Amino acid sequence: MSPTAPWWRSAVIYQVYIRSFADGDGDGVGDIAGIRSRLPYLKSLGVDAIWINPWYKSPMADHGYDVADFREIDPLFGTVAEAERLIAEAHEHGIRVIPDIVPNHTSDQHAWFRAALAARPGSPERGRYVFRPGRGPDGSEPPNDWVSSFGGPAWTRLPDGDWYLHLFAPEQPDLNWQHPEVRAEFESILRFWFSRGVDGFRIDVAHGLIKHPELPDLPPRQDPVDGQARQHVDHPHWDRDEVHEIYRAWRKVADEFPGDRCFVAEAWADTPERLAAYVRRDGLHTAFNFDFLMSMWEPKELRTVIDDSLAMLGSVGAPATWVLSNHDVVRHPSRYGRPSPVRRWVANETYRAEGPLDLDLGTRRARAAALLMLALPGGAYVYQGEELGLPEVEDLPESALQDPIWERSGHTDRGRDGCRVPIPWSGRVAPYGFSPAGTTAEPWLPQPADWAGLGVEAQTGDPASMLELYRTALRIRREHPALGDGTMTWLDAPEGVLAFSREPGFVCAVNLSAEPYELPAHSGLLLAGGPLKNGRLEPDQAVWLAL
């Protein structure tokens, strides 16, 4: 990695789901004060930046992804002044700060949407959103057959007969990105936060801003077929070509500010080629690699995803950004601890492995996956609690579920709360140091009774713990000249083993087979995900070697 290359090409970025990271004021909900109190921990972990899920003023219909004011911090989390102090203190610790930006929609409590509701059909105020008359003789049918990502129709009818589009919850009306005021407003919002020191933005639903002007019905569903490459589908509201014009303008805004400000796209795309279009040299800087996140624990599939990702992103000069978990998917120890689904995932749909859970197996694989991810060329994302080995919380009582998916699906989909449970820090009983001592308020989601051994305090200093594995891996990653951005070369290995070298003098081997693997010749052992036996790598283990 060149010392003059932008930081984001090789950064390890830690995702802070703010509600569940650390509670500074004792109300049971994480906040900016909590993040500030844990900056020394993040520095000791060895991350380069933090990505913070939405902290803006919000009615919290979707836990902050329904934004009422992009220039205000929600009182639940703090104030703009506190955010500015967090940014300054993080920088003092050598940690950059990347908040979320939510451009596809606003809250229904946003001033623009309130004005639209007060205005008449066809008014300028409604032009900032996607309003349409209904179908049928009396306009009582939705304008098309689009469905919400949270379940149910994507349209809601007003008493005056107009329908408005919401690809998520009804409280999240979609903006009309063909409207010049919408484009100008978001460029202004970017400047507002860049001027306060943020180092970039993660862009929510980056692939969804542009809708087909005629709003046609959805194309026929094309389910994936094993062994067949995914094909691009011309979709009326996902990943339309015109979206890139928006991001070219955003790139110019970022370039107005010093210090290599960056964007990362949450962009679901049918193919690696479509994903690469988001990160061309005049567009966004990086994009999440959902193909890697959704890959099964299967060597051929993982190798194909790695090769395709590096080839396509490299063709436009962009680095890969690898990720194993986030706030929208089942935590990977619980995914890897189940039989792999037969069929591949469909873009924009949640991967939920089924069958009995073997958490010991899932945790072994999670340790190996961490070493694989952190050895690959490019950057990486660590979802809070991943470094603690937290599994999915699958037995939350129905009365505790808060994800809008639960209600919108008619109580058939439990939603994403299981990966959002507040993380444990210390102590033997809940709230495990998440809230200050003496706090009476319970965490906003209940924590499992068996998490005592998974807290930061319990794992610190234990060389066999997941936390110390991550700390050591991130230290080696910072220090070793082969790691970070760059190239890699696959090595000959038995079937079921992924082994590759990186120059100078580094090898990563991951054993996904059922048999022990005899390690290649090496000059030293840098890090192992588990105990080695007679110089052999056991199944579901990974190792870093020096040459």
Side-chain angles (χ1 to χ4, degrees):
M1 179 68 188
S2 167
T4 60
W7 65 273
W8 44 265
R9 293 193 66 91
S10 59
V12 176
I13 300 177
Y14 186 94
Q15 180 187 352
V16 173
Y17 190 72
I18 187 168
R19 300 177 65 90
S20 301
F21 182 65
D23 169 19
D25 63 8
D27 66 354
V29 178
D31 47 37
I32 292 174
I35 301 174
R36 291 172 63 197
S37 73
R38 299 300 185 180
L39 286 173
Y41 167 75
L42 294 168
K43 182 177 178 64
S44 73
L45 183 60
V47 299
D48 300 297
I50 53 175
W51 152 35
I52 304 174
N53 288 92
W55 53 7
Y56 311 106
K57 186 176 181 181
S58 167
M60 300 293 164
D62 185 22
H63 293 157
Y65 281 95
D66 50 316
V67 179
D69 190 334
F70 288 91
R71 294 178 180 84
E72 289 290 342
I73 299 293
D74 195 89
L76 191 65
F77 303 135
T79 65
V80 171
E82 285 184 274
E84 291 172 336
R85 287 195 290 273
L86 167 64
I87 295 163
E89 291 169 8
H91 289 169
E92 291 171 3
H93 283 84
I95 297 171
R96 291 176 167 87
V97 178
I98 301 174
D100 238 307
I101 189 76
V102 189
N104 180 69
H105 47 261
T106 70
S107 165
D108 62 353
Q109 300 303 308
H110 190 283
W112 276 7
F113 195 71
R114 292 203 309 268
L117 294 183
R120 66 188 186 283
S123 63
E125 291 84 355
R126 292 196 177 182
R128 300 180 182 125
Y129 293 88
V130 184
F131 282 89
R132 292 291 188 277
R135 293 195 289 196
D138 58 355
S140 62
E141 298 175 19
N144 60 30
D145 67 352
W146 296 2
V147 294
S148 163
S149 294
F150 289 166
W155 295 92
T156 289
R157 194 182 194 191
L158 299 177
D160 60 26
D162 245 5
W163 295 77
Y164 71 88
L165 175 69
H166 50 86
L167 292 178
F168 294 88
E171 297 88 351
Q172 295 167 291
D174 278 50
L175 288 161
N176 172 19
W177 274 87
Q178 305 291 1
H179 198 299
E181 286 185 34
V182 173
R183 301 195 181 203
E185 169 67 359
F186 272 86
E187 290 177 21
S188 174
I189 293 165
L190 297 178
R191 292 187 178 97
F192 177 89
W193 288 106
F194 277 140
S195 68
R196 282 158 179 77
V198 304
D199 299 280
F201 288 92
R202 176 265 192 183
I203 305 169
D204 184 61
V205 197
H207 59 297
L209 276 53
I210 295 294
K211 282 71 175 177
H212 191 296
E214 297 175 5
L215 303 183
D217 282 349
L218 295 170
R221 179 186 175 100
Q222 294 188 6
D223 285 336
V225 178
D226 275 353
Q228 179 178 317
R230 300 204 310 277
Q231 302 295 316
H232 172 59
V233 175
D234 183 23
H235 197 281
H237 63 72
W238 293 142
D239 188 28
R240 299 195 61 77
D241 291 339
E242 299 88 343
V243 77
H244 303 299
E245 178 186 343
I246 296 167
Y247 298 134
R248 284 191 288 272
W250 283 25
R251 178 65 176 260
K252 292 177 182 177
V253 173
D255 290 345
E256 295 172 9
F257 295 84
D260 289 325
R261 313 298 174 106
C262 80
F263 294 110
V264 58
E266 183 207 24
W268 294 87
D270 292 333
T271 67
E273 293 90 343
R274 297 292 300 184
L275 182 65
Y278 287 84
V279 289
R280 290 175 291 207
R281 294 184 188 277
D282 62 345
L284 303 175
H285 301 81
T286 60
F288 290 127
N289 193 330
F290 290 118
D291 277 7
F292 184 75
L293 184 153
M294 294 298 189
S295 292
M296 312 310 168
W297 189 250
E298 197 281 319
K300 291 181 180 178
E301 180 174 348
L302 279 168
R303 179 164 176 165
T304 297
V305 165
I306 292 166
D307 284 343
D308 289 351
S309 300
L310 292 174
M312 289 304 128
L313 293 166
S315 71
V316 294
T321 51
W322 312 100
V323 58
L324 293 168
S325 280
N326 65 29
H327 65 293
D328 285 331
V329 298
V330 172
R331 285 186 177 273
H332 58 276
S334 296
R335 300 199 316 266
Y336 292 153
R338 286 190 164 89
S340 293
V342 175
R343 284 147 65 98
R344 290 182 58 92
W345 60 283
V346 181
N348 226 48
E349 294 190 5
T350 305
Y351 159 23
R352 298 188 182 280
E354 297 178 350
L357 172 63
D358 182 342
L359 187 55
D360 288 340
L361 173 65
T363 300
R364 281 200 307 277
R365 289 175 171 178
R367 293 172 68 91
L371 296 193
L372 170 62
M373 175 180 77
L374 294 172
L376 290 170
Y381 281 78
V382 174
Y383 178 45
Q384 65 178 45
E386 170 184 330
E387 79 279 15
L388 305 176
L390 297 186
E392 185 81 359
V393 181
E394 300 180 348
D395 57 355
L396 288 169
E398 291 184 357
S399 60
L401 298 178
Q402 299 191 36
D403 190 339
I405 291 176
W406 172 241
E407 292 296 337
R408 293 279 294 172
S409 68
H411 295 181
T412 61
D413 187 333
R414 290 173 60 87
R416 302 158 293 176
D417 289 326
C419 65
R420 300 175 174 185
V421 174
I423 67 173
W425 292 91
S426 59
R428 306 295 301 176
V429 296
Y432 304 113
F434 169 71
S435 298
T439 297
T440 57
E442 295 183 353
W444 71 280
L445 285 173
Q447 298 160 300
D450 59 357
W451 269 17
L454 295 177
V456 171
E457 184 180 73
Q459 295 196 41
T460 295
D462 177 0
S465 71
M466 185 76 83
L467 176 57
E468 294 300 342
L469 179 75
Y470 267 78
R471 280 179 169 153
T472 303
L474 291 175
R475 176 183 57 77
I476 295 171
R477 197 178 192 277
R478 286 195 310 275
E479 297 172 353
H480 202 294
L483 297 179
D485 197 20
T487 60
M488 59 173 277
T489 302
W490 291 109
L491 303 177
D492 290 336
E495 185 175 355
V497 175
L498 298 179
F500 57 90
S501 65
R502 302 200 58 197
E503 295 299 330
F506 176 92
V507 166
C508 175
V510 187
N511 187 0
L512 295 94
S513 75
E515 302 296 330
Y517 164 60
E518 193 79 31
L519 292 176
H522 56 279
S523 60
L525 173 65
L526 296 173
L527 183 60
L532 301 177
K533 297 180 180 178
N534 302 317
R536 299 194 303 175
L537 189 63
E538 294 297 305
D540 298 312
Q541 304 275 22
V543 68
W544 288 359
L545 305 173
L547 297 183

